[in-house]
Amino acid sequence: MLEFARAGAAVGSTTATLEKTRVLSAYFRTLDEDDLRRAAVYLSGRAFPPSQRRTLGLGWSTLSKVVSSISDLEEGELGSLFRKHSDLGDWAGEALDGSTQPEAVTLEDVGQTLEAIRTARGAAKARPLESLLRRLPPEAARFFVKIVSGEMRIGLSEGLVEAAVGEAFGVPITQVKRVHLVTGDIGETAVLCKRGEFEASTITLFQPVRFMLASPVETAPQAFERMGASTVWTEEKYDGVRCQLHRQGSRLELFSRDLKETTAAFPELVEGAPAIGHDVLFDGEVLAHRDGRVLRFFELQRRLGRKKVDPELRRDVPVVLVIFDILWLDGRTLLDEPLTTRRQLLESLGLEHPFLLARLEEATDPTHLDRIFAETRERGNEGLMVKDPLSPYTPGRRGLAWLKLKRPLATLDVVVTVVEWGHGKRKDVLSDYTFAVKDTATGRLVNIGKAYTGLTDAEIAKFTRVFLDMTVEDMGYTRMVRPEVVLEVAFDSIQHSGRHLSGYALRFPRIVRIRDDKPVEEIDTLERVAELYDRYFGTATEVPLSEVAET
Ligand code: AMP
C-alpha cells in the first residue's frame, strides 16, 4: 500500500501528463497480476470495478467517527482541518499523522478490508475501516481514504491510466482502449495487456459489454457515401429500449444502454431463457408487443425501471426482445466476425417468441435505400438503421459501420409563452422556453412543450434581453412573456399528456430555427398536432419484424 501511495503522490505532484504516465507505468511494471488489477481499479477512484456492481456504502459520519477515534481530535478540530484541505484523503492523512502504528499492508489487505466494509451493515462498517487505518502510515492512510471516498484528486483520468497500462506493457493505446471497451473494467484490461491477450477473446458472460452506436445521416446518398460500401443492410429503427442479453444455462441477465442490470423489469425474457438452447450474448431492443403489433414507446415506458412487474401490467404491456446482433455464442467471441456471419449464426438458432429477429433488407444503391426508407416512413416509423454487412462489432464506438437514417417527421411553428432561468452555467440566462400552438376552436394559445436545446449561447444571451423586456409576469424562477417569438421546433414524437393545456406533449423537442419572418397568427394549430399524432404516434404501429417474428 505504501508503494501505491507513493506512486499516487508522485502522480499528484506533477501536472505534466507525460510524467504522470511515466510514473504510473513504472509502478505498474513492479506489480503481479492480482495487485495490478487492484491498483488500476483503485487509481481510477473506485473501490470495486464497475463490472462487479458493488458499492461500499460508507458515509462521511462513519469515516469521521473512525478518524476522530484514532486521532483523538474533536469534531470541531476535524472540521477546521477539513476546511483546510477540502479533500477527504488529504484531511485523513493529516489528522492521523502520528496516531497510527504502521505495519506492512499489502493491496490484498486493502482489498479484503474494502470487501469487509461492503458486507458489514451500518455501524459495523467502522470496525474493518478502523482496523486498517490504525496499521497505515499517514501517507498510505491518505490514499486509502481517497479510494474509500471514490475520489483520487491527483489529476488522473481513466484515459491516463489506460495510457500508463499501454506504456508499461508496450501495448498501443488504441489496443488498450479496445480491450477496456470490451471488458468494461480497467483492472481486467491492465492484466490482459500485461499478458498480451488483447485479441477479442475477452468477453466474460454477465459482464456487460459497451454497446456499438450509430452515427446519424440524413439522406440515402449520404449513407452510401459515408459507409463507402456498395451494398448495405437496412434494419427498422425500433423505438424501444436497447438491451443486452447474457444467457448461460438457466441464468439470464439483461443490461440497459448504460450497462445497468435490468433483468427484473422483463420477466418474460427471463422465462424464455431455457428455450434459447445456447449460451449467448445478444444485442437488441426491448419493445412492447401485443397481438402481433408493436406498441408505442409511451406504453413501454410503463414497464421501465421496475424491480417487480405485476401480472396486470405484464398482460397490458407484454414485451419482446428484437435481436439484431450476437456477440458471443457457446464460448466463441464473435466481435471480429463480419455482420454477415453474426446474422447467419443468429438465424441458425431457431429463436422463438419472445425473442424475435430484426427484419433485414439489403439495398444496393441510394435510390433503393430511399425506397426502403419511404416505406418505413409510410408505416409511421421515424428511421432506418443502415449497417455495413462486412463490419465487426465495435463496442462503445459511434463509427460509420452503423448509421441511422432519420429525418424529423415534421416540424412545428410555435410561439414562446413562458421562459425559465437555466441551470449550471446557464443559470444567469433565460434558456428554457415553453411554447404553444393555436387552438383555433377557442382562439387561445395552448402549451405543448418545452425546449432548451438548439440555440447558440449568443442567441440565448440575446433572447434573455428580449424576454426580460417582454415579461408580463415575473414568477421568480419563470416568467410569462408576451407571445411574440416564433420558433420552429423538431421533435421525436407526440404523446398525450396532462401536463399541458393542449393535451399533448412533444418528446425531445429542439429548436431548429427562429422564425422572425413568421407572424404569430400563422403558427401551427392544435388540429395539425392532432393530425400528426393520429398519423404517426396514435395507435400501435406496423413495425415489421423478421419472418421468425411472425410465427
Ligand atoms: P439513437 O438513440 O438515435 O442514437 O439511435 C440508436 C439506437 O437505436 C440504438 O441505441 C438502439 O437502441 C436503437 N435501435 C433500434 N433499432 C435498431 C437496430 N435495428 N439496430 C441497432 N440499433 C437499433
Side-chain angles (χ1 to χ4, degrees):
M1 184 60 199
L2 201 51
E3 290 75 27
F4 176 91
R6 287 191 178 137
V11 167
S13 70
T14 170
T15 51
T17 52
L18 279 180
E19 180 59 12
K20 286 178 194 280
T21 317
R22 196 194 59 74
V23 168
L24 264 195
S25 63
Y27 170 61
F28 284 157
R29 272 195 295 268
T30 64
L31 301 175
D32 66 16
E33 285 189 4
D34 288 339
D35 278 350
L36 176 62
R37 187 179 287 113
R38 293 183 186 108
V41 172
Y42 300 158
L43 279 165
S44 49
R46 293 194 167 95
F48 305 103
S51 57
Q52 288 184 359
R53 291 168 260 152
R54 293 179 181 167
T55 49
L56 213 47
L58 184 73
W60 152 259
S61 85
T62 310
L63 183 63
S64 70
K65 268 190 209 125
V66 168
V67 170
S68 162
S69 133
I70 303 176
S71 64
D72 268 343
L73 291 175
E74 298 294 329
E75 213 173 285
E77 291 171 288
L78 284 177
S80 52
L81 207 53
F82 182 73
R83 277 189 293 281
K84 175 176 152 198
H85 291 290
S86 46
D87 173 277
L88 281 175
D90 297 348
W91 160 79
E94 182 169 345
L96 295 173
D97 197 2
S99 312
T100 62
Q101 287 84 44
E103 290 171 25
V105 171
T106 63
L107 287 184
E108 186 179 358
D109 298 330
V110 169
Q112 282 166 358
T113 302
L114 293 171
E115 185 59 17
I117 295 174
R118 181 183 79 84
T119 49
R121 294 274 147 256
K125 286 180 184 288
R127 215 168 304 133
L129 175 69
E130 177 161 353
S131 148
L132 189 82
L133 281 178
R134 283 190 181 281
R135 294 156 57 206
L136 290 175
E139 54 200 307
R142 176 177 166 225
F143 273 86
F144 179 69
V145 171
K146 281 176 183 283
I147 298 171
V148 163
S149 68
E151 284 186 6
M152 274 292 131
R153 298 214 188 173
I154 48 173
L156 192 64
S157 63
E158 209 163 55
L160 269 178
V161 179
E162 289 173 334
V165 167
E167 188 170 320
F169 307 113
V171 179
I173 178 72
T174 47
Q175 189 74 272
V176 180
K177 282 188 182 295
R178 176 149 197 262
V179 176
H180 192 188
L181 284 173
V182 176
T183 59
D185 179 337
I186 186 71
E188 214 42 52
T189 302
V191 169
L192 290 169
C193 288
K194 181 178 161 85
R195 288 189 200 151
E197 284 178 17
F198 25 72
E199 286 315 306
S201 58
T202 46
I203 284 189
T204 309
L205 232 44
F206 306 107
Q207 283 192 10
V209 176
R210 298 199 198 184
F211 289 89
M212 180 161 173
L213 302 170
S215 305
V217 285
E218 294 206 347
T219 64
Q222 209 180 31
F224 268 89
E225 192 183 305
R226 297 200 72 188
M227 194 165 277
S230 55
T231 300
V232 300
W233 278 8
T234 70
E235 291 167 7
E236 211 74 23
K237 186 172 186 304
Y238 298 102
D239 190 17
V241 290
R242 190 81 177 262
C243 180
Q244 199 172 95
L245 177 152
H246 296 232
R247 183 262 194 199
Q248 189 160 40
S250 58
R251 180 175 172 201
L252 183 141
E253 284 181 12
L254 304 168
F255 298 92
S256 58
R257 190 178 167 129
D258 52 2
L259 308 186
K260 298 232 168 67
E261 206 199 318
T262 54
T263 316
F266 307 118
E268 294 96 325
L269 305 183
V270 179
E271 289 157 16
I276 297 177
H278 292 264
D279 293 342
V280 294
L281 197 171
F282 290 148
D283 184 7
E285 188 94 351
V286 172
L287 297 178
H289 187 258
R290 196 178 54 215
D291 308 327
R293 289 174 86 92
V294 176
L295 307 181
R296 294 296 187 183
F297 183 80
F298 67 86
E299 299 253 28
L300 176 64
Q301 258 173 338
R302 295 170 54 201
R303 290 288 306 261
L304 302 183
R306 292 187 181 255
K307 295 239 155 52
K308 246 184 129 187
V309 187
D310 61 57
E312 210 173 312
L313 186 57
R314 261 185 80 164
R315 216 175 26 248
D316 281 0
V317 190
V319 300
V320 294
L321 179 69
V322 184
I323 301 163
F324 43 74
D325 223 312
I326 178 166
L327 280 52
W328 194 90
L329 173 64
D330 294 328
R332 181 173 158 213
T333 296
L334 304 170
L335 298 178
D336 284 337
E337 298 295 337
L339 179 58
T340 43
T341 308
R342 304 200 302 274
R343 176 75 192 198
Q344 221 170 25
L345 289 169
L346 257 184
E347 289 178 3
S348 72
L349 296 178
L351 295 171
E352 288 175 11
H353 192 95
F355 303 109
L356 318 175
L357 292 192
R359 199 187 67 134
L360 189 81
E361 205 172 333
E362 194 172 270
T364 45
D365 57 56
T367 319
H368 189 180
L369 180 58
D370 238 351
R371 198 166 60 237
I372 300 173
F373 185 47
E375 284 163 8
T376 302
R377 296 296 285 257
E378 242 347 89
R379 288 190 293 267
N381 300 311
E382 155 207 48
L384 201 63
M385 300 298 297
V386 183
K387 299 185 178 178
D388 178 350
L390 300 177
S391 60
Y393 189 99
T394 47
R397 184 94 53 83
R398 194 184 290 285
L400 298 178
W402 285 16
L403 300 174
K404 48 189 178 192
L405 182 55
K406 196 166 143 178
R407 267 170 252 155
L409 288 167
T411 57
L412 285 173
D413 293 330
V414 298
V415 67
V416 179
T417 54
V418 176
V419 294
E420 233 172 76
W421 297 102
H423 300 277
K425 70 177 172 39
R426 288 183 162 186
K427 69 179 174 15
D428 297 324
V429 284
L430 292 162
S431 62
D432 299 12
Y433 309 145
T434 299
F435 50 80
V437 291
K438 190 159 68 179
D439 179 359
T440 36
T442 62
R444 283 196 305 176
L445 293 173
V446 286
N447 289 345
I448 188 165
K450 183 158 93 170
Y452 35 87
T453 58
L455 294 185
T456 62
D457 286 347
E459 285 169 326
I460 293 173
K462 183 187 122 195
F463 271 117
T464 299
R465 290 189 295 276
V466 170
F467 286 130
L468 283 174
D469 271 351
M470 280 188 186
T471 302
V472 286
E473 194 180 342
D474 179 355
M475 296 166 285
Y477 191 49
T478 57
R479 290 170 165 252
M480 204 179 292
V481 294
R482 284 200 308 273
E484 288 172 12
V485 173
V486 177
L487 302 174
E488 179 179 347
V489 292
F491 49 90
D492 279 7
S493 71
I494 304 174
Q495 299 175 3
H496 267 305
S497 163
R499 197 176 341 138
H500 300 297
L501 202 56
S502 60
Y504 294 99
L506 302 186
R507 191 166 147 226
F508 299 132
R510 51 220 176 251
I511 301 164
V512 183
R513 254 185 317 165
I514 301 158
R515 296 294 307 257
D516 293 331
D517 56 319
K518 198 157 205 179
V520 179
E521 294 71 42
E522 289 173 24
I523 63 169
D524 276 307
T525 61
L526 191 57
E527 287 80 357
R528 174 154 158 75
V529 173
E531 216 176 270
L532 285 171
Y533 175 82
D534 287 342
R535 178 160 158 72
Y536 292 114
F537 309 110
T539 50
T541 50
E542 243 175 84
V543 179
L545 304 162
S546 75
E547 302 75 57
V548 181
E550 327 288 359
T551 56

